[in-house]
Amino acid sequence: MISCTLNIMGQDNNGEMFLNADGSQNAYFIDTLHIDSLVIVRSKKNGHFFAIRNPSKKDLKGNIWNSPETYLYDNAGYFDGWYFKDLPKKALPNEIYDSELNDVVIKYHPSSNTTPYEIVSNSGTPKYYWLVLIRGDAFNYLTVRCVFDSGRKAIKFKNEKAYYKMLIPIWEKAK
């Protein structure tokens, strides 16, 4: 009986649950940020969005998500729904629920076939961003594994159990 209990406590939920057996969370909402000169890019390989401050051409090659200068970016609105199991009601800041895309138009700028990323722009500017630390397996679960036909592929993080920085744009509410 004891060995069975220990085995269950040690099981990994692969990022599906908000709370882990050890009491940690798969995502931590750290603080709000105001960032100027942020460049949003989309990977042609896996379909995910990333935010980088003042990137050069050399910064836009390879697995940029493993760089400390890069943020995962929630451009598709997955995180306002939060498909985590066992998510406490008060876990998300209200601003994420209240934020609305309104008439924000996302534009993709053409890039050469040899460039692995395309630049993305929004017709508006977010009021600010929520900085979230999220485990790699939780990010992949929320954006690929539990979303039907999202068109995205799982990111090959250096360590799926590590936390990565993510930005969630908070848009002005429609009036």
Side-chain angles (χ1 to χ4, degrees):
M1 186 81 139
I2 292 173
S3 88
C4 181
T5 304
L6 293 175
N7 186 26
I8 291 171
M9 289 298 287
Q11 287 182 351
D12 189 0
N13 63 39
N14 297 315
E16 295 176 22
M17 308 287 278
F18 183 74
L19 298 170
N20 296 312
D22 64 0
S24 65
Q25 297 175 185
N26 278 323
Y28 291 94
F29 295 83
I30 305 301
D31 203 353
T32 58
L33 296 176
H34 295 270
I35 302 176
D36 294 328
S37 67
L38 193 64
V39 176
I40 309 301
V41 298
R42 181 184 167 274
S43 170
K44 293 179 185 177
K45 184 177 180 179
N46 61 31
H48 287 281
F49 294 86
F50 305 95
I52 308 169
R53 291 181 63 166
N54 303 316
S56 67
K57 287 197 181 240
K58 69 176 182 147
D59 293 334
L60 293 178
K61 293 183 179 173
N63 298 339
I64 63 173
W65 50 85
N66 289 317
S67 167
E69 303 301 318
T70 303
Y71 298 89
L72 302 170
Y73 189 77
D74 175 28
N75 205 41
Y78 289 118
F79 296 95
D80 61 2
W82 286 85
Y83 298 95
F84 274 137
K85 297 174 187 167
D86 80 348
L87 179 69
K89 287 183 180 181
K90 297 289 183 186
L92 287 178
N94 288 337
E95 295 92 342
I96 292 174
Y97 288 121
D98 295 342
S99 179
E100 296 178 13
L101 279 173
N102 301 331
D103 296 326
V104 175
V105 177
I106 300 167
K107 295 180 185 175
Y108 299 91
H109 302 279
S111 60
S112 71
N113 290 338
T114 59
T115 308
Y117 299 94
E118 60 187 336
I119 305 293
V120 178
S121 64
N122 298 316
S123 61
T125 303
K127 200 165 49 166
Y128 56 88
Y129 301 92
W130 260 100
L131 173 63
V132 179
L133 291 180
I134 187 166
R135 273 183 33 168
D137 57 351
F139 183 80
N140 279 333
Y141 175 77
L142 289 170
T143 59
V144 177
R145 296 180 191 137
C146 78
V147 178
F148 296 105
D149 201 20
S150 70
R152 297 184 186 192
K153 297 177 182 154
I155 293 177
K156 294 178 182 169
F157 292 105
K158 279 184 187 176
N159 180 355
E160 263 206 336
K161 305 299 181 203
Y163 288 88
Y164 294 85
K165 298 179 298 185
M166 181 180 70
L167 293 178
I168 300 175
I170 302 300
W171 302 93
E172 195 74 50
K173 250 188 132 168
K175 300 191 187 231

